[in-house]
């Protein structure tokens, strides 16, 4: 197979994780997760929208595919007055308690930042009667944590830089970039 480097988007300062590095790590983690979930009929739940790209690759890397694996999605958003988050997380989606009860839930995140979203979702699935809950994340920024949250499975730990691509956005842009890159500050802070 011939691979070619994608053209660097003009708004990207630096590629932090190449397409090849991501693919290699996702393949490795996929096999590890598949081994741990063999015979457990995992319910793989992705958070919209950021986790979609990672989840699509991860579930195909879960080899051999655990029997009974199913996919679901939830939407989670922090809300609060003005620009300051209240720290509360609103959840929406079509998952009913009957879908979750007794299932081994694997929550898929693109990034764990403060940790609030992942913690709220894991608590939510526990309350719905999941047999077990675990968190897999593409990225983790430990420097930003405000609540204790350690992914059970993690692809990459990253510094506190504004990263986009491979599902991660700024203002709904850049999600389709095949790599994770650092966004130019001029793109998110108005010129002074
Ligand atoms: C992002 C990301 C995580 C969450 C992480 O979602 O996808 O779900 O924030 O942040 P936290 O650890 O501080 O809770 P966002 O609300 O930006 O929505 P998106 O996935 O649609 O981009």
């Amino acid at each position: 197979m011939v691979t070619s480097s994608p053209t660097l988007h003009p708004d990207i300062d630096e590629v932090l994780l190449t397409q090849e590095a991501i693919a290699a790590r996702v393949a490795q983690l996929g096999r590890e997760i598949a081994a741990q979930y063999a015979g457990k009929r995992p319910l793989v739940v992705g958070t919209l929208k950021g986790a979609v790209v990672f989840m699509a690759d991860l579930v195909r890397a879960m080899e051999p595919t655990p029997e009974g694996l199913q996919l679901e999605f939830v939407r989670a958003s922090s809300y609060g007055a003005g620009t300051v988050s209240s720290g509360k997380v609103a959840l929406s989606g079509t998952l009913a308690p009957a879908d979750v009860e007794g299932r081994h839930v694997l929550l898929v995140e693109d990034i764990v930042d403060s940790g609030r979203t992942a913690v709220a979702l894991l608590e939510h699935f526990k309350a719905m009667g999941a047999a077990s809950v675990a968190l897999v994340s593409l990225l983790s920024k430990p420097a930003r944590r405000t609540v204790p949250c350690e992914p059970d499975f993690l692809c990459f730990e990253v510094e506190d830089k504004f990263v986009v691509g491979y599902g991660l956005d700024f203002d709904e842009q850049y999600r389709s970039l095949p790599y994770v890159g650092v966004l130019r500050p001029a793109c998110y802070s108005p010129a002074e």
Side-chain angles (χ1 to χ4, degrees):
M1 187 178 78
V2 178
T3 57
S4 58
S5 304
T7 312
L8 189 64
H9 191 289
D11 294 350
I12 300 299
D13 247 348
E14 170 200 355
V15 174
L16 209 59
L17 301 166
T18 64
Q19 189 172 2
E20 290 76 18
I22 295 169
R25 182 67 184 125
V26 170
Q28 187 184 40
L29 203 66
R31 286 192 295 272
E32 192 182 320
I33 293 172
Q36 291 203 24
Y37 281 85
K40 289 189 169 175
R41 299 177 58 245
L43 184 64
V44 182
V45 183
T47 52
L48 296 170
K49 304 173 193 167
V52 166
V53 176
F54 173 46
M55 178 153 149
D57 286 342
L58 182 71
V59 292
R60 288 177 293 170
M62 288 172 67
E63 281 285 337
T65 308
E67 204 184 319
L69 181 153
Q70 290 179 329
L71 308 184
E72 287 288 351
F73 292 93
V74 285
R75 182 99 184 108
S77 43
S78 294
Y79 60 95
T83 55
V84 180
S85 168
S86 64
K88 290 179 182 163
V89 177
L91 309 179
S92 55
T94 54
L95 265 181
D99 301 322
V100 173
E101 204 175 345
R103 298 298 299 268
H104 294 277
V105 174
L106 182 64
L107 175 64
V108 184
E109 275 283 18
D110 53 333
I111 187 164
V112 179
D113 203 333
S114 73
R116 287 193 193 114
T117 306
V119 166
L121 285 168
L122 293 170
E123 288 301 322
H124 179 67
F125 296 132
K126 273 187 219 162
M128 287 171 102
S132 72
V133 295
L135 171 64
V136 53
S137 187
L138 175 72
L139 305 178
S140 174
K141 276 186 187 171
R144 301 263 303 174
R145 217 62 105 242
T146 59
V147 294
C149 181
E150 206 55 61
D152 300 278
F153 306 95
L154 176 65
C155 285
F156 304 99
E157 195 170 291
V158 291
E159 293 171 51
D160 189 11
K161 291 180 174 175
F162 203 131
V163 290
V164 295
Y166 200 69
L168 290 102
D169 76 314
F170 170 65
D171 202 15
E172 297 302 328
Q173 302 298 301
Y174 314 111
R175 291 195 200 271
S176 65
L177 297 180
Y179 50 81
V180 172
V182 180
L183 189 60
R184 287 188 196 284
C187 299
Y188 56 86
S189 51
E192 288 160 22

